[in-house]
Every structure is written in structure tokens, then in C-alpha cells.
Amino acid sequence: GEPVAHAKNLYHRIDRTWRDANHATSEAWFDTEGNPMALKDMYVRIERDFDEKGNATEERYYGPDGQPIACKAGYDEIHQKYNEKNQVIRIEYLLNGAPVLNNIGAAALEREYDEKGNVSVERYYGTENEPIRNTSGYARIDRTWLDKDHVTSEAWYDENGQPTALTDTYCRVEREY
């Protein structure tokens, strides 16, 4: 029969290069005529690097011309760092090799985790690695978790570590379950 496109994503073919059975180092999408095809985020190919534990440490996006292209979130490359439990502790967003503010207003974010593996703190940073408020209006959020599904408290802070009110005029929420 005739080549057809994937009903949801509209591509016909995906080409992947594998480091091993679980880690694709490259993915590229093509239409029914074999032309590179951009996904909804505008890139036609992704390349990834992994550390020795299999964690994705870098991801780069490319356009139809083979050159780096910014995704809709505003960056063409991501760098990730992990802790000893393989949890992402820092994500950096780059454009043309330099830090760039993404669509949530941060060039980097850092995470801390509680003993259950939940994200307990998130901090946002600007292009000079300075604390910065994201587009939601805070530079840090602290969370306390009852379990993996229930947040018992959330508190928001500005770039100076002071409590900051969100649009609804509160800076902390406490929940009981």
C-alpha cells in the first residue's frame, strides 16, 4: 500500500540510533516522502548524551537544515545533572551554547528531594546563575509531602528568599488529608 502518516503526530517514520536497548542517542522524524518532518516543537531531530548510569545529561534539537533550532520553549539544548539516586538536581537551558530564559522565565532550575523521592524544593536561576522569579512570580518553591501524591504544604519565595504572594495573594498553603 501507500505510505501513511501516524494519525496523532503526522510523521511517517522515526529513525533512531541506540547506545543500548534503552537509550536512543538520536531520533529523527520523516514524512511519507522521506523528508525531515518537524514535530509540534519545531525540531526534526534530537540528539542525546548519557552518563555511565544511563541518565540523559544533554539533549540537543535540530531543524531541517541540520542546524540547531530552538524549540517552542526557547532553547536548543538542555544539560541535566543528577544526584546519587539518579534524580535530576539541575537543568540548564541553552541557546547557541549560552544560557537562555525559557518559556517559564528561567535559564536553570535546581531541585532537592525528600526521603520519599518527592521534589521538596525548586529554585529558578537567570542567565548569570542569579536567583530569578519565574513567570509564575516566584524564585523558589518549598513543598512538604505526605506521600508521593499529596502535598501538605507549599510556600513561595522571591529571589531574596523572602515569602512572596502569588496572584491569589497568598504565599503559603497548608493542606490536611
Side-chain angles (χ1 to χ4, degrees):
E2 292 295 312
V4 295
H6 183 278
K8 182 177 177 185
N9 296 314
L10 304 179
Y11 60 81
H12 168 68
R13 184 181 92 226
I14 301 175
D15 289 355
R16 292 186 174 108
T17 304
W18 296 89
R19 179 184 100 162
D20 56 42
N22 298 314
H23 301 93
T25 57
S26 175
E27 293 184 52
W29 296 267
F30 299 89
D31 65 18
T32 56
E33 296 177 7
N35 299 310
M37 181 170 179
L39 298 181
K40 65 181 178 181
D41 231 3
M42 303 173 9
Y43 50 83
V44 301
R45 188 177 85 234
I46 295 176
E47 291 184 1
R48 295 181 191 92
D49 294 333
F50 297 89
D51 65 17
E52 64 283 349
K53 294 180 180 178
N55 298 310
T57 56
E58 292 185 19
E59 189 167 275
R60 296 168 300 283
Y61 307 99
Y62 296 92
D65 61 359
Q67 296 300 309
I69 189 170
C71 64
K72 287 183 180 179
Y75 50 86
D76 63 14
E77 191 170 342
I78 296 173
H79 292 190
Q80 298 185 123
K81 295 179 182 174
Y82 297 81
N83 64 16
E84 66 282 348
K85 295 180 179 179
N86 298 318
Q87 299 163 317
V88 176
I89 58 171
R90 184 171 172 90
I91 305 172
E92 299 170 341
Y93 304 93
L94 298 103
L95 183 64
N96 301 319
V100 64
L101 298 180
N102 64 10
N103 62 332
I104 63 164
L109 74 85
E110 290 183 346
R111 293 181 176 145
E112 294 178 20
Y113 297 83
D114 66 15
E115 64 282 348
K116 299 174 197 110
N118 300 305
V119 176
S120 57
V121 178
E122 275 190 345
R123 293 181 185 87
Y124 298 87
Y125 297 92
T127 58
E128 301 294 322
N129 205 38
E130 75 284 8
I132 190 171
R133 291 185 194 214
N134 64 21
T135 55
S136 296
Y138 57 89
R140 186 181 96 214
I141 182 170
D142 292 1
R143 292 186 183 102
T144 305
W145 297 77
L146 176 63
D147 53 37
K148 75 177 198 78
D149 296 318
H150 299 95
V151 176
T152 56
S153 71
E154 292 180 288
W156 297 270
Y157 300 90
D158 68 15
E159 59 276 16
N160 298 311
Q162 298 300 309
T164 189
L166 299 181
T167 55
D168 294 306
T169 68
Y170 55 86
C171 60
R172 184 176 183 87
V173 173
E174 298 283 336
R175 296 180 187 91
E176 291 185 20
Y177 294 97

